[in-house]
Amino acid sequence: MKAPISRYPLPDLADLPDDMRDRMLAVQEKAGFLPNVFVALAHRRDEWRAFFAYHDALMEREGGLSKAEREMIVVAVSADNDCHYCVIAHGAILRIRAKNPRIADQVAINYRKADITPKQKAMLDFALKVSRDSRSIGDTDFGKLRAHGFSDEEIWDIAGITALFGMSNRMANFLSMRPNDEFYVMGRELE
Amino acid sequence: MKAPISRYPLPDLADLPDDMRDRMLAVQEKAGFLPNVFVALAHRRDEWRAFFAYHDALMEREGGLSKAEREMIVVAVSADNDCHYCVIAHGAILRIRAKNPRIADQVAINYRKADITPKQKAMLDFALKVSRDSRSIGDTDFGKLRAHGFSDEEIWDIAGITALFGMSNRMANFLSMRPNDEFYVMGRELE
Amino acid sequence: MKAPISRYPLPDLADLPDDMRDRMLAVQEKAGFLPNVFVALAHRRDEWRAFFAYHDALMEREGGLSKAEREMIVVAVSADNDCHYCVIAHGAILRIRAKNPRIADQVAINYRKADITPKQKAMLDFALKVSRDSRSIGDTDFGKLRAHGFSDEEIWDIAGITALFGMSNRMANFLSMRPNDEFYVMGRELE
Amino acid sequence: MKAPISRYPLPDLADLPDDMRDRMLAVQEKAGFLPNVFVALAHRRDEWRAFFAYHDALMEREGGLSKAEREMIVVAVSADNDCHYCVIAHGAILRIRAKNPRIADQVAINYRKADITPKQKAMLDFALKVSRDSRSIGDTDFGKLRAHGFSDEEIWDIAGITALFGMSNRMANFLSMRPNDEFYVMGRELE
Amino acid sequence: MKAPISRYPLPDLADLPDDMRDRMLAVQEKAGFLPNVFVALAHRRDEWRAFFAYHDALMEREGGLSKAEREMIVVAVSADNDCHYCVIAHGAILRIRAKNPRIADQVAINYRKADITPKQKAMLDFALKVSRDSRSIGDTDFGKLRAHGFSDEEIWDIAGITALFGMSNRMANFLSMRPNDEFYVMGRELE
Amino acid sequence: MKAPISRYPLPDLADLPDDMRDRMLAVQEKAGFLPNVFVALAHRRDEWRAFFAYHDALMEREGGLSKAEREMIVVAVSADNDCHYCVIAHGAILRIRAKNPRIADQVAINYRKADITPKQKAMLDFALKVSRDSRSIGDTDFGKLRAHGFSDEEIWDIAGITALFGMSNRMANFLSMRPNDEFYVMGRELE
């Protein structure tokens, strides 16, 4: 009774252009398995390239928010959008980045009660406002974040990651994308 | 930066009446640790007794829904109420009851995409309607459940478990009740 | 065209165990009639016992909120959940406890405009937050209530009564429980 | 601790033009008291005239919905808008028009469970849709009402009464308009 | 594929009473065309008279808010209610009254980002609260408006216009009223 | 009182890398002006490149939905997100693509009442569901679209465009991005 990886056909890796296959093989080598998002989105090659370019631009940008904080944003936003793939996959990455086996579940269920700093809660409050109510964002929101010490470039990162994963959540929900079984247990024994 | 178990004072087990302490020791012996809900709610003894009596009446009733299905209802409703304690603790119990290491995360994030049967999805659709919109429940809802083979006593169980954990979720959120660390990893290696 | 008392079968008082029947007869003697909730919930005996034990623990606890204030919470929460039985039955009790023939309708329709004190409005603001958005309860909410003079035990009472009647409202809506005709007019001529 | 009749100044009847004072005296003679809405809205004379002209055009139109059904719409819509004045005042009129002491509370709390006909429930379903989601009204809604036997003119009445009292509810809430004490008890002893 | 002007029959101008036809001819002469709302609502003559009397009492009252500000309220509220007729028709009037070709689209899409003053944004914040959540209006709302310099009579105007067009929006949505093509382009070349 | 183009600094075209400047100049030559989105997003170069690559992959894909239909999706989704820049800019493009001066306002205000085909309304119903409630998308939604004749690749396009502009709307709202004045009037005189 296990659901398929995606509603749409999955390409054969052998048929993909070199740039796409090379990245997939590199990811697979590093992670030990190939995350399903790489295969499911490859049904559309140009969209696949743009998506991962966007992802890298925000998630691997030099400086600013820590890697763990970026994943917190992904997990909080994806949980609010009820995105099965993104919460499971990025929850695993968050546990590893934060070296904390419980943080992903805490952020996904209710970040207000998670073991994170007040500054990180302010970051997630803003991310959720971008996700649910971007129409109302104004100077007051920027003021709150600056009071916590966020730079304007970091604020852009929070908004950008939220907006990007809002897109990703909608696509994964649309495709009923299934997370790899490996993600469920990664990083749970870190202590 | 770990949050306390509850906003309110925790009683000393030694000060509790025998019936309460006996149950706690029995649970502790069986589980290997004492779930925080037993301690946090013991701040009010009569409420504690009524709560666990209600819990047992619904969760351990003979016949009807399977133990795993009852826990599915708890997890789905608690996730909808963003209840940290209940999702983590009952997620663990669900993994064990269902002998499935991934089911709790799936049901918590989006039961519509979980690896469960159509009958179980209808059960959770109804539970969520009781939780969010009980004012609109009518004959049509009963008809759908009966078409899936649920008896009227099982339908009562779905509603009762949903209502009971709606109460429990509100109390746990009010107390900022913290789940025991043990729950996060229980049942994740079942396969 | 009068609806039945409950969707489920009603037990015969003669068939009930002594503890249940004794309580029902006592209530009937005091009130002059037997409120339907006692009969409708008696379809499940252990749940019945737990429910009324929980009710008494919160509604008849010594000290703290006045009896009228407890009923205000019940009426405001039940009205927000559109629970026919609970608004009518506890509206009657509120009129009697508060010795005020208009207060129940006022609290049920819009407690913000009711003839109650600012402290009582703060109490109901908090009750409604527990009912609708318990996920967001935090230190700020406790601060507001303490500023109005509520003790921590009284705050627990507000949350507990709200959570209990959230459960009760869902069960009464699920059962389409019908209030006794007597409740509609009780306490309306107090002045 | 009784709230004033309105946030705005109340005119002296002696200062009002004849047409307004004559109507008020006629209403007072018939009802035995002058409903506060006549005084509170008289702060703006032309709006007062237009409001009551609109009211009469819809509520006293010949033919179509019964007088009791029109009041059911007013009570259901006003309750959904949490309008203190309108629920209390028109609840009283509904009890009298329907010769039923319980119907107003039932319709106000949850019309889906009220002792009314399926046709009347369809009427109130539509009224609530006009009130909350008029943007989505389409052929399907007209089809449902026609299937229950409503004529197109009656459907206009349902929409018109809903729209008019949507305006009235907003004004009464804005003014914190207080219902006369008499309304609370009118029509409660009809049986 | 152009939709009809209204779901209901349109009267022939020749059949209408003099007062209605005279007003229509006067409007037609001034605007160069007859706005569809005059024809569509004329299916019910007494409601038509009350509607336009109400409209004139608020929109043409001496003193207080500027004509452009009154139209801003109409456009913001009508956009929030997704009312096709009212946004298009009153958007045109707003462009003309404000002598600004872009203001109507800005106010309709998101008044918080429109090129209007902070005082006007406060006015529209209040209008939207009257429209969506009149139950919660209280002293704080009046305080904010007075701090911006609004008189109590102007505050009444904001609420009254909002309430009136809430009614009008519901009727226009119910009728699927079609705006005249002329409105789409009026006032777009003002600069 | 005209708002700035963006909350963040705008790069000087002379400082941008060739690929970015070349595209901007090409767009400017074709449109007669440079849409502000190109300048505002250029504050982050890699994100800019990924964004426009994604845009082109979906909006200029060979085959499938017509260009006008793609813009309808953008306008309907952007209006639901209250995105000032996107509704104004893509409204202009929609008018031109559809050769219809009124369609953009109609789709933005309430696509259910717009002069479009039932198939196009089904397309927008689905887009709005992806935007607001992607968690619930299932076989039933695909069935409805296929019944209207949409291919699976077209369905992907609807979802993809919706998800992409959901991201774009959040960024434009976050930046308070201002549309160029030219967009307001483009395509309004097509008939």
Side-chain angles (χ1 to χ4, degrees):
Chain A
M1 210 169 47
K2 228 162 144 174
I5 288 173
S6 166
R7 284 181 174 278
Y8 280 73
L10 302 177
D12 193 328
L13 255 69
D15 299 337
L16 290 174
D18 286 354
D19 65 316
M20 292 175 65
R21 192 176 47 244
D22 288 352
R23 171 149 189 182
M24 291 193 197
L25 293 174
V27 169
Q28 186 166 23
E29 179 153 326
K30 189 173 167 204
F33 64 97
L34 181 58
N36 289 337
V37 66
F38 286 93
V39 193
L41 292 186
H43 179 64
R44 291 279 184 100
R45 298 178 185 185
D46 289 343
E47 296 169 41
W48 186 99
R49 288 187 181 100
F51 177 81
F52 289 105
Y54 220 131
H55 174 278
D56 295 350
L58 278 162
M59 300 303 281
E60 305 190 356
R61 201 175 75 85
E62 288 296 310
L65 303 176
S66 74
K67 289 284 173 77
E69 285 166 342
R70 297 179 205 201
E71 295 296 333
M72 277 180 209
I73 298 169
V74 178
V75 170
V77 169
S78 300
D80 195 53
N81 285 325
D82 295 353
C83 180
H84 195 164
Y85 184 88
C86 308
V87 173
I88 295 297
H90 286 271
I93 304 175
L94 171 54
R95 285 190 294 270
I96 289 168
R97 296 270 196 251
K99 299 192 192 346
N100 178 332
R102 286 178 294 278
I103 195 171
D105 291 333
Q106 292 178 357
V107 168
I109 297 168
N110 191 345
Y111 72 87
R112 298 169 205 80
K113 312 274 170 108
D115 292 328
I116 58 177
T117 65
K119 182 178 177 181
Q120 289 165 339
K121 288 184 189 177
M123 173 184 82
L124 297 180
D125 282 343
F126 182 69
L128 267 288
K129 184 162 182 180
V130 171
S131 184
R132 293 186 156 200
D133 187 31
S134 66
R135 62 187 58 79
S136 305
I137 289 174
D139 294 342
T140 310
D141 301 297
F142 278 77
K144 283 185 197 165
L145 291 169
R146 286 174 189 142
H148 276 285
F150 287 105
S151 72
D152 280 9
E153 291 307 312
E154 289 170 330
I155 296 174
W156 178 302
D157 285 341
I158 304 172
I161 293 169
T162 299
L164 174 66
F165 279 87
M167 178 176 71
S168 175
N169 295 163
R170 283 169 178 77
M171 285 308 290
N173 272 336
F174 162 69
L175 297 173
S176 290
M177 205 188 293
R178 178 183 183 81
N180 308 58
D181 288 355
E182 288 86 346
F183 283 125
Y184 288 85
V185 290
M186 276 172 63
R188 291 202 176 272
E189 304 297 347
L190 285 160
E191 286 184 324
Chain B
M1 209 169 45
K2 226 161 143 174
I5 287 175
S6 167
R7 284 180 174 278
Y8 280 73
L10 302 178
D12 194 327
L13 255 69
D15 299 336
L16 290 174
D18 287 351
D19 65 315
M20 293 176 65
R21 191 174 49 244
D22 288 352
R23 172 150 188 180
M24 292 193 197
L25 294 175
V27 170
Q28 187 165 22
E29 178 153 326
K30 190 172 167 203
F33 64 97
L34 181 57
N36 290 336
V37 65
F38 286 92
V39 194
L41 292 186
H43 178 65
R44 291 278 183 100
R45 298 179 186 183
D46 289 343
E47 296 170 40
W48 187 100
R49 288 186 180 101
F51 178 81
F52 288 106
Y54 218 131
H55 175 278
D56 295 351
L58 278 161
M59 300 303 281
E60 303 189 359
R61 200 175 74 86
E62 289 295 310
L65 303 175
S66 75
K67 290 283 174 74
E69 286 166 341
R70 296 178 206 200
E71 296 295 335
M72 279 181 207
I73 298 169
V74 178
V75 170
V77 169
S78 300
D80 195 54
N81 284 325
D82 294 353
C83 180
H84 195 164
Y85 185 88
C86 307
V87 174
I88 296 297
H90 286 273
I93 304 175
L94 171 55
R95 286 192 292 273
I96 289 168
R97 296 269 195 252
K99 301 191 188 350
N100 179 332
R102 286 179 295 278
I103 196 170
D105 292 333
Q106 292 179 356
V107 168
I109 298 168
N110 191 345
Y111 72 88
R112 298 168 204 80
K113 311 273 171 109
D115 293 328
I116 57 176
T117 65
K119 183 178 176 181
Q120 289 166 340
K121 288 184 187 173
M123 174 184 81
L124 296 179
D125 282 343
F126 182 69
L128 268 290
K129 184 162 184 181
V130 170
S131 184
R132 294 186 154 199
D133 187 31
S134 66
R135 63 187 58 76
S136 305
I137 289 174
D139 294 343
T140 310
D141 301 297
F142 278 77
K144 282 185 197 162
L145 290 169
R146 286 175 189 142
H148 275 286
F150 286 105
S151 71
D152 280 9
E153 292 307 311
E154 289 170 330
I155 296 174
W156 178 302
D157 284 341
I158 304 172
I161 294 168
T162 299
L164 175 66
F165 279 88
M167 177 176 71
S168 175
N169 295 164
R170 283 167 179 79
M171 285 308 291
N173 272 336
F174 162 70
L175 297 172
S176 290
M177 204 188 293
R178 178 183 182 80
N180 308 57
D181 288 356
E182 288 86 345
F183 283 125
Y184 289 84
V185 290
M186 276 171 62
R188 292 203 176 272
E189 305 297 349
L190 284 159
E191 287 182 325
Chain C
M1 209 169 46
K2 227 163 144 173
I5 288 175
S6 167
R7 282 180 175 278
Y8 281 73
L10 301 178
D12 194 327
L13 255 70
D15 300 335
L16 290 174
D18 287 352
D19 64 316
M20 293 175 65
R21 192 176 46 244
D22 288 353
R23 171 149 190 182
M24 292 193 197
L25 293 175
V27 169
Q28 188 166 19
E29 179 154 328
K30 190 174 167 202
F33 63 97
L34 181 58
N36 289 336
V37 65
F38 286 92
V39 192
L41 292 186
H43 179 65
R44 291 278 183 99
R45 298 178 185 184
D46 289 343
E47 296 169 40
W48 187 99
R49 288 185 181 102
F51 178 81
F52 288 105
Y54 219 131
H55 175 277
D56 295 350
L58 279 160
M59 300 302 281
E60 305 190 357
R61 200 175 75 85
E62 288 295 310
L65 304 175
S66 75
K67 289 284 174 73
E69 285 167 341
R70 297 179 206 200
E71 295 296 334
M72 278 181 207
I73 299 169
V74 177
V75 170
V77 169
S78 300
D80 195 53
N81 285 324
D82 295 353
C83 179
H84 195 164
Y85 185 88
C86 308
V87 174
I88 296 297
H90 287 272
I93 304 175
L94 171 55
R95 285 190 293 271
I96 290 168
R97 297 271 195 249
K99 299 191 190 353
N100 179 331
R102 287 178 294 279
I103 194 170
D105 292 332
Q106 292 179 355
V107 168
I109 297 168
N110 191 344
Y111 72 88
R112 299 168 204 79
K113 312 273 170 109
D115 292 329
I116 57 176
T117 66
K119 182 177 177 181
Q120 289 166 339
K121 288 183 188 175
M123 173 183 82
L124 297 180
D125 282 343
F126 182 68
L128 267 290
K129 184 161 182 182
V130 170
S131 184
R132 292 186 157 199
D133 187 32
S134 67
R135 63 187 58 78
S136 305
I137 289 173
D139 293 343
T140 310
D141 301 297
F142 278 77
K144 282 184 199 165
L145 290 169
R146 286 174 189 143
H148 275 285
F150 287 105
S151 72
D152 280 10
E153 292 308 312
E154 288 170 331
I155 297 174
W156 178 303
D157 285 340
I158 304 172
I161 293 169
T162 300
L164 175 67
F165 279 87
M167 178 175 70
S168 175
N169 295 164
R170 284 168 178 77
M171 285 308 291
N173 272 336
F174 162 70
L175 296 173
S176 290
M177 205 187 292
R178 179 183 183 81
N180 308 58
D181 287 355
E182 288 86 345
F183 284 125
Y184 289 83
V185 290
M186 277 172 63
R188 292 203 175 271
E189 304 297 348
L190 285 159
E191 287 182 325
Chain D
M1 209 169 47
K2 226 160 144 177
I5 287 174
S6 167
R7 284 180 173 278
Y8 280 73
L10 302 178
D12 193 327
L13 254 70
D15 299 336
L16 289 174
D18 287 352
D19 64 318
M20 293 176 66
R21 192 175 47 245
D22 289 353
R23 173 149 188 180
M24 292 192 197
L25 293 174
V27 170
Q28 187 165 22
E29 177 154 327
K30 189 172 168 203
F33 63 98
L34 181 57
N36 290 335
V37 66
F38 286 93
V39 193
L41 292 185
H43 178 65
R44 291 279 184 98
R45 298 178 186 184
D46 289 343
E47 296 169 41
W48 187 98
R49 288 186 181 101
F51 177 81
F52 288 105
Y54 219 131
H55 174 278
D56 295 350
L58 278 161
M59 300 302 281
E60 304 190 357
R61 200 175 74 87
E62 288 295 311
L65 303 176
S66 74
K67 290 283 173 75
E69 285 166 341
R70 297 178 206 201
E71 296 296 334
M72 279 181 208
I73 298 169
V74 178
V75 170
V77 168
S78 301
D80 195 53
N81 284 325
D82 295 353
C83 179
H84 195 163
Y85 184 89
C86 308
V87 174
I88 296 297
H90 286 272
I93 304 175
L94 171 54
R95 285 191 292 272
I96 290 168
R97 297 271 195 249
K99 300 190 190 353
N100 178 332
R102 287 178 295 277
I103 196 170
D105 292 331
Q106 293 179 356
V107 168
I109 297 169
N110 191 344
Y111 71 88
R112 298 168 204 81
K113 313 271 171 108
D115 293 327
I116 57 177
T117 65
K119 183 178 177 181
Q120 290 166 338
K121 289 183 188 175
M123 174 185 82
L124 297 179
D125 283 343
F126 182 68
L128 269 288
K129 185 162 183 180
V130 170
S131 184
R132 294 186 153 200
D133 187 32
S134 67
R135 63 188 57 78
S136 305
I137 289 173
D139 294 343
T140 311
D141 301 297
F142 279 76
K144 281 184 198 163
L145 291 169
R146 287 174 189 142
H148 275 286
F150 287 105
S151 71
D152 280 10
E153 292 308 312
E154 289 170 330
I155 297 174
W156 178 303
D157 285 340
I158 304 172
I161 294 168
T162 300
L164 174 66
F165 279 87
M167 178 176 71
S168 174
N169 295 163
R170 284 168 178 78
M171 286 307 291
N173 273 335
F174 162 70
L175 297 173
S176 290
M177 204 189 292
R178 178 182 183 82
N180 309 56
D181 288 356
E182 288 86 345
F183 283 126
Y184 289 84
V185 290
M186 276 171 63
R188 292 203 176 271
E189 305 297 349
L190 284 160
E191 285 182 327
Chain E
M1 209 168 47
K2 224 160 145 176
I5 288 174
S6 167
R7 284 180 174 277
Y8 280 73
L10 302 177
D12 194 327
L13 255 69
D15 299 335
L16 290 173
D18 287 352
D19 65 316
M20 293 176 63
R21 191 175 47 244
D22 289 352
R23 173 150 188 180
M24 292 192 196
L25 293 174
V27 170
Q28 187 166 22
E29 179 154 326
K30 190 175 168 201
F33 64 97
L34 181 57
N36 290 335
V37 66
F38 286 92
V39 193
L41 292 185
H43 178 64
R44 290 279 183 99
R45 299 178 184 184
D46 289 342
E47 296 169 41
W48 186 99
R49 289 186 180 101
F51 177 81
F52 288 106
Y54 219 130
H55 174 278
D56 295 350
L58 278 161
M59 300 303 281
E60 306 190 355
R61 200 174 74 86
E62 287 297 310
L65 304 175
S66 76
K67 289 285 174 74
E69 285 167 340
R70 296 178 206 202
E71 295 296 335
M72 279 181 207
I73 298 169
V74 178
V75 170
V77 169
S78 300
D80 195 53
N81 285 324
D82 295 353
C83 179
H84 195 163
Y85 185 89
C86 307
V87 174
I88 296 298
H90 287 272
I93 304 174
L94 172 55
R95 285 190 294 271
I96 290 168
R97 297 270 196 250
K99 300 191 190 351
N100 179 332
R102 287 179 294 279
I103 195 170
D105 292 333
Q106 292 179 357
V107 168
I109 298 168
N110 191 345
Y111 72 87
R112 299 168 204 80
K113 313 273 171 108
D115 292 329
I116 57 177
T117 65
K119 182 178 176 180
Q120 289 166 339
K121 288 184 188 176
M123 173 184 81
L124 297 179
D125 282 342
F126 182 68
L128 268 289
K129 184 161 183 181
V130 171
S131 185
R132 294 187 155 199
D133 187 31
S134 66
R135 60 186 61 75
S136 305
I137 289 173
D139 294 343
T140 310
D141 302 296
F142 278 77
K144 284 184 196 163
L145 291 169
R146 287 175 188 143
H148 275 285
F150 286 105
S151 71
D152 280 9
E153 292 307 312
E154 289 170 330
I155 296 174
W156 178 303
D157 284 341
I158 304 172
I161 293 168
T162 300
L164 175 67
F165 279 87
M167 178 176 72
S168 175
N169 295 164
R170 283 167 179 78
M171 285 308 291
N173 273 336
F174 162 69
L175 297 173
S176 290
M177 205 189 292
R178 178 182 182 82
N180 308 58
D181 288 356
E182 289 85 346
F183 284 125
Y184 289 84
V185 290
M186 276 170 64
R188 292 204 175 272
E189 305 296 349
L190 285 160
E191 286 182 325
Chain F
M1 209 169 44
K2 225 162 145 175
I5 288 174
S6 167
R7 285 180 172 277
Y8 281 74
L10 301 178
D12 193 327
L13 255 69
D15 299 336
L16 289 174
D18 287 352
D19 65 317
M20 292 175 65
R21 191 175 48 244
D22 288 352
R23 173 150 188 179
M24 291 193 197
L25 294 174
V27 170
Q28 188 166 21
E29 178 153 328
K30 190 174 166 203
F33 64 97
L34 182 58
N36 290 337
V37 65
F38 285 93
V39 193
L41 292 185
H43 178 64
R44 291 279 183 98
R45 298 179 186 184
D46 289 342
E47 296 169 39
W48 187 99
R49 289 185 180 103
F51 178 81
F52 288 106
Y54 219 131
H55 174 277
D56 295 350
L58 277 161
M59 300 303 280
E60 305 190 356
R61 200 174 75 85
E62 288 295 310
L65 303 176
S66 74
K67 289 284 173 74
E69 285 166 341
R70 296 179 207 202
E71 295 296 335
M72 278 180 209
I73 298 169
V74 178
V75 170
V77 169
S78 301
D80 195 53
N81 285 324
D82 294 354
C83 179
H84 194 163
Y85 184 88
C86 307
V87 173
I88 297 297
H90 287 273
I93 304 175
L94 171 55
R95 286 191 292 272
I96 290 168
R97 296 269 196 252
K99 300 190 188 354
N100 179 332
R102 287 179 293 277
I103 195 169
D105 292 333
Q106 292 179 356
V107 167
I109 297 168
N110 191 343
Y111 72 87
R112 297 169 205 80
K113 312 272 170 110
D115 292 328
I116 57 177
T117 65
K119 183 178 176 180
Q120 289 166 339
K121 288 183 189 176
M123 175 184 81
L124 297 179
D125 282 342
F126 182 68
L128 267 290
K129 184 162 183 180
V130 171
S131 184
R132 294 185 155 200
D133 187 31
S134 67
R135 62 187 59 76
S136 305
I137 289 173
D139 295 343
T140 310
D141 302 297
F142 279 77
K144 282 185 198 164
L145 291 168
R146 286 174 190 143
H148 275 285
F150 287 105
S151 71
D152 279 9
E153 291 308 312
E154 290 170 330
I155 296 174
W156 178 303
D157 284 340
I158 304 171
I161 293 168
T162 300
L164 175 67
F165 279 88
M167 178 175 71
S168 175
N169 295 163
R170 283 168 178 78
M171 285 308 291
N173 272 336
F174 162 70
L175 297 172
S176 290
M177 204 189 293
R178 179 182 181 82
N180 308 58
D181 288 356
E182 289 86 345
F183 283 125
Y184 288 84
V185 290
M186 277 172 61
R188 291 203 176 272
E189 305 296 349
L190 284 160
E191 284 183 328

